[in-house]
Amino acid sequence: MDWLFLDAAFTGGSRDECSAKAGGACWAVIGERLNLFTYGFYPVAERWRVNLSLVLLIFTLFPILFEKAPYRKYALHIAVAFPFVTAWLLVGGLGLTPVETDQFGGFMLTLVIGITGIGFSLPIGILLALGRQSKLPAIQIFSIGFIEFIRGVPLITLLFVASTMLNYFLPPGVTFDLLLRVLIMVTLFASAYMAEVIRGGLQAIPKGQFEAADSMGLHYWSAMRLIVLPQAIKISIPGIVNTFIGLYKDTTLVIIIGLLDPLGIGRASLADTRWTGLSTEVYLFVAIFFFISCFGMARYSQHLEKKLETDHKR
Amino acid sequence: MTQKPESANEKTKSAAGNYAVTMRDVHKWYGKFHVLKNINLNVEVGEKIVICGPSGSGKSTLIRCINRLEEHQQGEIFVEGIELSHDIKNIEIIRREVGMVFQHFNLFPHLTVLENCTLAPIWVRKMPLAEANAIAMEYLERVKIPEQADKYPGQLSGGQQQRVAIARSLCMKPRILLFDEPTSALDPEMIKEVLDVMIQLASEGITMICVTHEMGFARTVGDRVIFMDNGEIIEENNPDDFFLNPQHERTKLFLSQILNH
Ligand SMILES: Nc1ncnc2c1ncn2[C@@H]1O[C@H](COP(=O)(O)OP(=O)(O)OP(=O)(O)O)[C@@H](O)[C@H]1O
Ligand SMILES: [Mg+2]
């Protein structure tokens, strides 16, 4: 504890300056590199776009997460626009200065990958889980094949495929943004796990629920949307959040194909001769960032479970 | 599969138009197990049919064939003149007109009582919310639990849940109601409240097909009692003759067993 705070130096231009001041941790490295940790190499003049995206994110998440949020019904409809608006803000074009995605980095990159993966893997996972139980053989075989293939391959391998091999499959001259490829791979990877989590929930729904829905003349999709999925997802919440957390942490793997997530920035900082040897400080800082995000998700999941539990006990 | 000449099929079809339900030479198998054997049954519009028989005799399977929760493999079933086949359109039309009440209620636990009742009218009949709510409250009053409308099914007793299930079926204004042992999962003190609702319903002209062993109910409202054993219809008669003067040995044995309870 003393090392962390009391004996720590918070300012300074290099490691030597730190140790001249105090014997503990040298947090100056974080201070100097904070912008890098947050924005990566995103152009300084355009960083307001990242900040604005974060504000939009908070305004979008709030009504999704909290039932009591004001104007929730309208906010949920507007939320659909969020991915498009944010993508436009971050990448640019259409009036904004374009920013190459290889300039994305740091926590911003983590959030972009994590939130895209989380946002898309749940619906894709639901479709795959339903597909796996479909009576149509083609859909069933596709779903099973997809899920088992993705689950059988490590994410790193998929990322390598994304970074190198995909180019061979595409016609020459067609370039496909690396970050986009990573987003697709991470999303597909999480979707396969999500599908299995949701399938567990689907299997826990008593047959009588399906029969009651059928006997009323409800269509398949109405029955799923109104009756089966709300119950199945509720049961699956712990598993869903678990998958989210796993995905979020796995975003650090992109360092291997050369994207600079916070860990990558940390390593680059340590390579600077002024700051060598401060790996404890740098990695602790990154760890705290991930812990706060993941702990937040876990707490929210507990809150949700409790709320649903009291909402409709069986 | 029997290949009937077209004209014979047309004949049954036109005859079937006058009945609520027509079953002709219906057979069904679960794998090799022959659950329904040569079922022939005509149900008049407005008729109240009671089906009884020992456990495993195929009673549930029979009535579940009527709204195609189960598929028959041979023979023909017509509901209000519409044939049940693989045609999903026909199945949906029939399911809209045929309500079902299950032994274990099968209410939707994540929806309130009112939402349980309005779901099908809104999504199947495309009824506006206000109208669906009004109809649901009307039927909840009919089954005497309007005050429970905003509770969740898990907060109700078994008898109340079954009455909600009946109201939920009625909200679709079905012409035919199927009951599969609606009281057999209930504690004795709750059976009466459900039977009272069913007896009241019976006086309103709806066609009812009930699998039940409630003899009092059968004698009060039944027009016809059907006894099944081993996948076959063994005997059918009006309730008084059925109970007082059973013809078949197996019927006598069955009646002696349930009446001694
Ligand atoms: N899905 C199924 N697969 C295989 N066999 C089944 C299936 N459903 C029912 N059966 C069998 O078919 C027979 C008839 O079942 P059914 O449920 O129609 O009987 P029941 O007369 O309703 O009996 P109970 O009074 O116990 O409800 C039983 O022997 C049962 O084991
Ligand atoms: Mg049964």
Side-chain angles (χ1 to χ4, degrees):
Chain A
M1 274 297 145
D2 284 356
W3 179 85
L4 275 181
F5 300 111
L6 293 183
D7 294 341
F10 291 93
T11 53
S14 71
R15 189 184 183 200
D16 297 336
E17 281 180 36
C18 274
S19 41
K21 278 194 205 160
C26 176
W27 294 116
V29 57
I30 309 294
E32 191 196 81
R33 302 265 168 165
L34 194 57
N35 277 335
L36 203 56
F37 270 112
T38 312
Y39 302 102
F41 296 100
Y42 208 86
V44 181
E46 305 294 333
R47 283 182 186 166
W48 62 271
R49 282 152 56 176
V50 180
N51 296 339
L52 182 58
S53 302
L54 187 67
V55 172
L56 286 181
L57 172 70
I58 292 167
F59 273 99
T60 310
L61 278 186
F62 192 70
I64 294 179
L65 296 183
F66 299 102
E67 208 176 2
K68 294 203 182 78
Y71 305 112
R72 184 164 194 252
K73 227 167 133 189
Y74 309 101
L76 289 182
H77 284 103
I78 297 171
V80 176
F82 172 78
F84 304 102
V85 175
T86 319
W88 169 63
L89 269 178
L90 292 179
V91 180
L94 298 176
L96 288 176
T97 326
V99 175
E100 291 297 321
T101 56
D102 56 12
Q103 291 176 304
F104 288 26
F107 298 133
M108 169 221 167
L109 182 66
T110 303
L111 286 175
V112 166
I113 302 175
I115 287 169
T116 309
I118 286 172
F120 286 95
S121 65
L122 185 60
I124 298 177
I126 289 173
L127 290 180
L128 283 171
L130 293 177
R132 190 165 187 157
Q133 303 197 321
S134 168
K135 288 196 188 83
L136 305 172
I139 293 179
Q140 193 188 23
I141 288 170
F142 171 80
S143 305
I144 293 178
F146 180 88
I147 293 169
E148 296 305 336
F149 171 74
I150 298 273
R151 287 205 305 167
V153 179
L155 178 57
I156 300 214
T157 317
L158 291 178
L159 291 177
F160 275 129
V161 170
S163 76
T164 58
M165 278 168 54
L166 232 47
N167 275 346
Y168 297 122
F169 297 123
L170 291 170
V174 178
T175 51
F176 204 56
D177 189 79
L178 177 62
L179 180 61
L180 189 57
R181 285 183 262 163
V182 167
L183 288 177
I184 292 172
M185 285 303 183
V186 168
T187 302
L188 293 183
F189 188 77
S191 304
Y193 282 87
M194 197 58 78
E196 288 300 281
V197 170
I198 305 271
R199 185 166 70 104
L202 287 175
Q203 281 173 339
I205 305 300
K207 230 176 104 209
Q209 296 287 307
F210 294 85
E211 289 177 352
D214 281 347
S215 73
M216 298 176 157
L218 277 180
H219 289 294
Y220 173 81
W221 288 110
S222 308
M224 288 299 145
R225 187 167 59 86
L226 300 167
I227 292 163
V228 177
L229 285 175
Q231 298 182 60
I233 290 176
K234 180 193 152 194
I235 303 172
S236 318
I237 287 173
I240 292 174
V241 175
N242 205 24
T243 310
F244 283 169
I245 291 176
L247 176 154
Y248 190 74
K249 292 192 293 188
D250 279 351
T251 57
T252 50
L253 290 174
V254 298
I255 191 178
I256 291 185
I257 56 168
L259 296 184
L260 288 178
D261 80 313
L263 270 187
I265 302 274
R267 268 176 37 154
S269 306
L270 294 174
D272 185 331
T273 46
R274 286 181 303 139
W275 302 112
T276 43
L278 293 177
S279 46
T280 320
E281 284 87 343
V282 166
Y283 290 132
L284 204 61
F285 175 67
V286 175
I288 288 169
F289 165 75
F290 276 101
F291 179 76
I292 290 174
S293 329
C294 295
F295 189 67
M297 284 193 253
R299 292 300 308 194
Y300 178 73
S301 133
Q302 283 168 7
H303 157 81
L304 198 60
E305 273 170 61
K306 257 209 210 93
K307 187 173 91 56
L308 292 174
E309 196 53 51
T310 44
D311 252 19
H312 33 82
K313 31 186 156 79
R314 300 209 169 212
Chain B
M1 299 280 153
T2 47
Q3 279 296 351
K4 291 208 164 183
E6 196 56 36
S7 61
N9 186 294
E10 287 305 315
K11 225 156 95 194
T12 39
K13 201 176 249 169
S14 63
N18 305 324
Y19 291 108
V21 177
T22 300
M23 301 178 97
R24 290 242 178 286
D25 308 329
V26 170
H27 290 260
K28 174 169 179 61
W29 289 263
Y30 282 125
K32 283 202 171 135
F33 180 59
H34 202 166
V35 237
L36 293 182
K37 300 170 186 162
N38 199 33
I39 301 291
N40 282 285
L41 179 67
N42 287 320
V43 181
E44 309 266 0
V45 174
E47 203 179 5
K48 324 293 175 219
I49 303 264
V50 171
I51 302 177
C52 62
S55 182
S57 56
K59 309 177 296 290
S60 298
T61 311
L62 177 100
I63 67 163
R64 288 158 62 88
C65 280
I66 296 174
N67 63 355
R68 198 126 173 141
L69 286 183
E70 303 288 348
E71 202 175 300
H72 60 285
Q73 277 113 30
Q74 198 179 311
E76 296 160 345
I77 302 178
F78 294 88
V79 179
E80 303 216 301
I82 301 170
E83 182 166 14
L84 272 171
S85 62
H86 288 284
D87 188 346
I88 186 85
K89 276 248 162 52
N90 283 354
I91 295 174
E92 279 172 1
I93 294 173
I94 288 170
R95 282 178 176 168
R96 256 177 262 160
E97 306 308 327
V98 179
M100 187 166 210
V101 175
F102 299 86
Q103 182 175 4
H104 296 288
F105 332 133
N106 296 354
L107 294 174
F108 306 128
H110 62 301
L111 301 176
T112 63
V113 164
L114 187 66
E115 288 166 341
N116 264 277
C117 292
T118 56
L119 186 115
I122 290 173
W123 294 97
V124 179
R125 293 240 192 264
K126 314 287 180 209
M127 197 182 278
L129 178 68
E131 192 185 343
N133 279 339
I135 290 176
M137 286 313 295
E138 183 189 324
Y139 283 111
L140 285 174
E141 242 147 74
R142 193 89 69 87
V143 301
K144 302 184 183 67
I145 36 175
E147 71 282 0
Q148 312 285 6
D150 293 322
K151 288 198 183 163
Y152 286 94
Q155 297 166 304
L156 305 186
S157 74
Q160 291 173 323
Q161 291 193 43
Q162 193 61 297
R163 284 185 282 151
V164 171
I166 294 173
R168 177 175 75 175
S169 298
L170 291 174
C171 284
M172 282 292 279
K173 304 207 187 258
R175 286 203 278 272
I176 302 170
L177 257 185
L178 309 173
F179 292 83
D180 192 358
E181 306 204 32
T183 55
S184 59
L186 297 177
D187 294 334
E189 70 269 21
M190 295 172 186
I191 291 179
K192 188 174 173 300
E193 65 188 51
V194 171
L195 287 180
D196 284 348
V197 166
M198 290 171 63
I199 291 169
Q200 190 205 336
L201 256 184
S203 65
E204 295 173 12
I206 192 170
T207 308
M208 288 168 70
I209 304 177
C210 308
V211 175
T212 181
H213 293 163
E214 292 295 333
M215 294 308 135
F217 173 80
R219 297 179 72 157
T220 323
V221 307
D223 295 314
R224 204 163 18 136
V225 179
I226 287 173
F227 174 70
M228 285 185 74
D229 192 12
N230 215 356
E232 289 173 287
I233 294 180
I234 303 289
E235 185 167 343
E236 51 176 288
N237 214 333
N238 65 65
D240 288 339
D241 290 335
F242 179 85
F243 290 112
L244 299 176
N245 191 15
Q247 301 298 308
H248 211 280
E249 278 310 312
R250 280 193 269 179
T251 319
K252 288 176 190 165
L253 180 66
F254 172 75
L255 286 176
S256 72
Q257 280 167 348
I258 60 163
L259 293 179
N260 286 342
H261 269 299

